Amino acid sequence: MGGSESVWKSDDPGDPDSREPTSSTSDSIVVSDIEELSACRERISSVVADCDADRCFEIELVASELVTNALEHGGVDTVHVDVRRRPTELDLVVAAADTGPERTYHPDPDLPDPQDARGRGLVIVRALSQSYRVRVEGGFRYDEVVMTLDC
């Protein structure tokens, strides 16, 4: 999990098509501390820099919610974020070692009580995503999100 790959129509920054991807653009990010979330969001934004500002914010928000959940509730030291852009969709996978007790994951969470200060993260993820699922495999939990792009 490392590095990034970009394929653009033109390498000339003056060319109007220079920021339009011809195939996929991807990045792999490792987050070890909540203080690194800002840098993680910036790297994800660079993958969708040509999208509408509101959609970029939504993509950053979904990533932040999933990474924060993994760091705060998963009891892990490191979270891996893989982002892959395709022409009309963005795949976002947040992976962390699943060190907690065996449990059932509910990718369709209930709405929290309006008086609760917390508990809205996965509801937000679900609302902003085209699809969301949780997969546990080989000692890791994978939160997998597909988001549409209107760029």
Side-chain angles (χ1 to χ4, degrees), residues 34-56:
I34 205 80
E35 299 296 320
E36 297 171 0
L37 263 177
S38 179
C40 177
R41 285 191 299 266
E42 286 176 18
R43 286 183 57 183
I44 290 170
S45 287
S46 71
V47 174
V48 292
D50 62 317
C51 289
D52 175 79
D54 289 338
R55 193 58 174 158
C56 284

Side-chain angles (χ1 to χ4, degrees), residues 51-112:
C51 289
D52 175 79
D54 289 338
R55 193 58 174 158
C56 284
F57 174 79
E58 292 170 351
I59 291 165
E60 290 176 18
L61 179 59
V62 166
S64 291
E65 289 296 334
L66 294 175
V67 171
T68 299
N69 279 353
L71 289 171
E72 287 187 357
H73 306 297
V76 299
D77 295 328
T78 304
V79 177
H80 296 269
V81 180
D82 288 320
V83 58
R84 191 182 101 206
R85 179 182 174 160
R86 293 175 284 147
T88 60
E89 294 179 332
L90 181 80
D91 297 321
L92 182 65
V93 178
V94 176
D98 190 23
T99 58
E102 192 166 324
R103 60 196 146 215
T104 304
Y105 296 103
H106 301 282
D108 230 350
D110 295 325
L111 289 173

Side-chain angles (χ1 to χ4, degrees), residues 12 16 26 30 37 42-43 50 52-53 58 63 83 101 112 115 123 127 131 138 140 145 149:
D12 177 8
S26 63
V30 177
L37 263 177
E42 286 176 18
R43 286 183 57 183
D50 62 317
D52 175 79
E58 292 170 351
V83 58
Q115 301 303 316
V123 174
S131 69
F140 280 83
V145 175
L149 296 176

Side-chain angles (χ1 to χ4, degrees), residues 96-150:
D98 190 23
T99 58
E102 192 166 324
R103 60 196 146 215
T104 304
Y105 296 103
H106 301 282
D108 230 350
D110 295 325
L111 289 173
D113 184 285
Q115 301 303 316
D116 290 343
R118 300 175 58 105
R120 289 166 180 78
L122 292 181
V123 174
I124 291 169
V125 167
R126 189 82 170 136
L128 296 176
S129 303
Q130 179 180 339
S131 69
Y132 169 63
R133 75 179 187 146
V134 175
R135 178 174 54 91
V136 178
E137 181 179 298
F140 280 83
R141 171 187 165 133
Y142 299 88
D143 287 82
E144 300 173 332
V145 175
V146 175
M147 300 182 75
T148 58
L149 296 176
D150 302 318

